């Protein structure tokens, strides 16, 4: 179906809607009105129904001396201008405004009035009628536009998650950008049910079920990006909270070299990937990039000469030449069930999305013992902690030494914005207390801190880079495991063998100007306290940086 050229270019991501609006303003000789200049209350004009304004995306700005000023997304539409004149009996003075801003303002000012009459439909409707009412709400043009704008804003902000949270007084929209939540302008409170229902319809969820959590998926194309949205809803005291994980297939980095690996860590990690059998684990909290690291590792392996099978929940990105299995717990296809079956598929390499239970861990160990290379993730804070976690899951220590090749702990720290990062002289006392002096080049004492500019939305950071802690098991570590060492002793033993902690790898990124000391301390405070010469100094360093 055809559309205006400007809209098509914006959808393809060739230009922004602001670029189009600025050019159209020059072409038509009309002013471009910003959202700050919109009225705070609805302007009621006799003869103009709110449905007409919503449908044609027209926002009345002022009505003075028979002249009606309006903000429009298509002020060149002579038919609509004539209809406005005839309906209102006034001279129409059009101005141009961004479609997203007009739609949001109209929804707040006019749709809220429309919906207030139906504030509590459940009091007088049965369930079937209420479901139909929700479907009608979710199918209205302003609601469709608003949800599209919420998703589109995630691309503009480079967000990894969209949070739609009901509150006592309305609804909050927040975006997780570089691991930190950012607030957005909230829509009208009356649109809460409509927005939630629209997202649930797109994700194929049951909009009538509001008491139980649900999970779904939305595949869409926004501004030239193929997006995969993983949708999760949970009931709260104020309504359903919706979180959408944004998986942008075009932005994912499937190259280990581009993910922030230090050269020595990358070399050892690549050696572990070439092992003929055994288990290689990637650990870290949710959102630390574990799965992306495994995808990058698989992309590096030559799938044409090896049989590679993955078991995931969900399959986030499809990799060419690799057999990927989606877990379906509802029909009994669990990690353990899938693993038992794929061992008969003659695989060379098996990737398990996550070791969640004892049965999955035991099958992974059996697979490693029978000549397979197993890659998986585990939720632990440190590399050494993964060994004791596996022991808690029922894996004997002698099997850990026989099967585990290496463990990579990972975190993500925000990159300093290249446009505004500011150099400063690090005080000698701070260089020593933080441990940064060990990684600074000779005679260098300058580091960088976040400052903030338009390019990074005044945060001082743009994008993220990974920091790593790689524990490769050798004879010394094997001996410590068999002697019953706990996670702390194993960590200390690994450091004596040359392992750099997450904090120390972060300091390397600080010395290289990639990130700031404050950011590394924020992400790795526990690890910082375990590093040489930093006992009780990490918080002091953070305080010093904040005061400096």
């Amino acid at each position: 179906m055809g559309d205006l050229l400007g809209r098509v270019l914006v959808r393809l991501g060739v230009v922004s809607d602001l670029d189009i609006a600025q050019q159209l303003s020059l072409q038509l000789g009309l002013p471009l009105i910003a959202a700050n200049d919109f009225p705070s209350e609805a302007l009621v004009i006799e003869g103009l129904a709110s449905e007409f304004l919503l449908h044609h995306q027209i926002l009345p700005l002022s009505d003075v001396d028979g002249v009606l000023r309006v903000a429009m997304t298509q002020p060149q539409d002579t038919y609509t201008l004539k209809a406005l004149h005839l309906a209102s009996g006034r001279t129409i003075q059009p101005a141009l405004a961004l479609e997203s801003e007009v739609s949001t303002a109209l929804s707040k000012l006019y749709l809220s009035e429309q919906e207030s009459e139906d504030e509590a439909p459940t009091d007088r409707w049965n369930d079937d009628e209420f479901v139909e009412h929700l479907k009608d709400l979710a199918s209205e043009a302003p609601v469709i536009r608003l949800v599209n704008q919420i998703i589109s804003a995630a691309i503009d902000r480079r967000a990894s998650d969209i949070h739609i949270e009901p509150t006592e007084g309305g609804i909050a929209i927040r975006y997780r950008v570089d691991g930190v939540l950012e607030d957005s302008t909230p829509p009208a409170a009356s649109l809460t049910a409509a927005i939630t229902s629209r997202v649930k319809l797109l994700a194929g969820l049951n909009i009538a079920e509001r008491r139980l959590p649900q999970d779904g998926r939305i595949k869409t194309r926004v501004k030239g990006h193929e997006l995969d949205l993983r949708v999760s809803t949970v009931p709260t005291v104020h309504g359903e909270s919706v979180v959408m994980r944004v998986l942008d297939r075009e932005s994912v980095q499937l190259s280990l070299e581009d993910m922030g690996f230090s050269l020595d860590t990358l070399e050892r990690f690549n050696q572990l990937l070439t092992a003929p059998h055994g288990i290689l684990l990637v650990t870290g909290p949710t959102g630390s990039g574990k799965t992306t690291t495994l995808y990058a590792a698989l992309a590096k392996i030559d799938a044409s000469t090896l049989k590679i099978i993955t078991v995931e929940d969900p399959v986030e990105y499809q990799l060419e030449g690799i057999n990927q299995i989606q877990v379906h717990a509802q029909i009994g296809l669990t990690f353990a069930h899938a693993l038992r079956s794929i061992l008969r598929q003659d695989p060379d390499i098996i990737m398990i999305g996550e070791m969640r239970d004892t049965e999955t861990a035991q099958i992974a160990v059996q697979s490693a013992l029978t000549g397979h290379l197993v890659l998986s993730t585990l939720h632990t804070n440190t590399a050494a902690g993964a060994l004791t976690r596996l022991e808690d899951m029922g894996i004997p220590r002698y099997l850990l030494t026989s099967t585990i090749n290496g463990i990579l702990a990972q975190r993500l720290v925000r990159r300093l914005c290249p446009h505004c990062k500011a150099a400063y002289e690090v005080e000698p006392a701070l260089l020593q207390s933080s441990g940064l002096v060990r990684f600074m080049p000779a005679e260098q004492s300058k580091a960088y801190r976040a400052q903030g500019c338009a390019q990074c939305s005044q945060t001082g950071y743009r994008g993220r880079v990974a920091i790593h802690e790689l524990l490769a098991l050798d004879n010394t570590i094997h001996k410590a495991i068999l002697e019953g060492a706990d996670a702390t002793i194993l960590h200390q033993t690994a450091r004596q063998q040359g392992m750099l902690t997450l904090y120390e790898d972060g300091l390397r990124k600080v010395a290289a100007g990639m990130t700031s000391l404050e950011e590394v301390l924020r992400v790795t405070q526990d690890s910082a306290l375990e590093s040489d010469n930093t006992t009780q100094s990490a918080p002091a360093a953070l305080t010093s940086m904040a005061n400096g």
Side-chain angles (χ1 to χ4, degrees), residues 111-123:
L111 195 60
S112 56
E113 295 177 358
Q114 200 174 321
E115 292 304 321
S116 60
E117 302 171 4
D118 300 322
E119 195 168 339
T122 50
D123 293 340

Side-chain angles (χ1 to χ4, degrees), residues 389-544:
R389 175 78 179 105
L390 288 172
E391 186 181 15
D392 292 341
M393 294 171 73
I395 307 300
R397 285 185 171 245
Y398 70 89
L399 284 182
L400 294 178
T401 60
S402 304
T403 55
I404 306 295
N405 295 339
I407 304 164
L408 180 76
Q410 177 170 305
R411 298 287 191 282
L412 295 176
V413 295
R414 292 179 292 173
R415 283 184 184 268
L416 286 166
C417 175
H419 302 282
C420 66
K421 65 180 182 180
Y424 69 99
E425 197 76 23
V426 185
E427 295 178 4
L430 182 57
L431 278 173
Q432 293 291 338
S433 65
S434 65
L436 186 57
V437 66
R438 176 182 167 192
F439 303 100
M440 281 287 197
E443 299 181 359
Q444 177 183 326
S445 58
K446 285 188 177 180
Y448 292 86
R449 59 160 61 103
Q451 188 161 300
C453 67
Q455 296 288 335
C456 59
S457 302
Q458 304 302 325
T459 64
Y461 298 95
R462 186 173 178 85
R464 289 189 287 180
V465 64
I467 57 175
H468 303 96
E469 175 180 294
L470 180 59
L471 171 58
L473 275 69
D474 57 15
N475 291 333
T476 304
I477 302 295
H478 287 166
K479 183 180 178 182
I481 293 172
L482 295 174
E483 288 176 349
D486 61 14
T488 302
I489 299 299
L490 290 172
H491 183 82
Q492 292 173 352
T493 304
R495 296 202 66 246
Q496 291 167 4
Q497 296 299 108
M499 182 189 79
L500 291 181
T501 66
L502 287 164
Y503 174 68
E504 290 168 332
D505 193 43
L507 291 179
R508 291 204 281 189
K509 304 295 193 294
V510 173
M514 295 182 186
T515 189
S516 67
L517 186 56
E518 300 100 319
E519 178 68 6
V520 171
L521 287 166
R522 179 185 72 85
V523 173
T524 66
Q525 288 185 40
D526 292 341
S527 181
L529 293 173
E530 296 170 358
S531 300
D532 290 341
N533 303 319
T534 59
T535 303
Q536 297 182 338
S537 66
L542 183 57
T543 303
S544 176

Side-chain angles (χ1 to χ4, degrees), residues 141-202:
V143 175
I144 293 173
R145 286 195 195 95
L146 186 56
V147 172
N148 289 344
Q149 288 157 16
I150 290 171
I151 296 173
S152 177
I155 294 296
D156 296 334
R157 292 172 174 249
R158 301 174 295 103
S160 60
D161 300 87
I162 306 170
H163 293 246
I164 303 175
E165 303 166 339
T167 62
E168 187 175 4
I171 184 172
I173 308 292
R174 301 199 289 172
Y175 296 89
R176 189 173 294 279
V177 181
D178 295 336
V180 179
L181 282 173
E182 295 181 357
D183 289 326
S184 178
T185 304
S190 58
L191 295 176
T192 302
I195 292 171
T196 303
S197 299
R198 177 63 185 168
V199 173
K200 291 171 74 173
L201 279 176
L202 290 172

Side-chain angles (χ1 to χ4, degrees), residues 2 8 42 104 120 130 140 170 180 215 261 309 337 349 371 390 392 415 419 446 523:
V8 173
T104 300
F130 184 54
E140 290 182 350
V180 179
D215 294 302
F261 275 90
I309 302 180
H337 188 190
I349 298 174
L390 288 172
D392 292 341
R415 283 184 184 268
H419 302 282
K446 285 188 177 180
V523 173

Side-chain angles (χ1 to χ4, degrees), residues 301-308 321 348-349:
I301 297 170
D302 185 3
S304 64
T305 60
L306 296 170
K307 174 84 168 183
I308 303 175
D348 296 296
I349 298 174

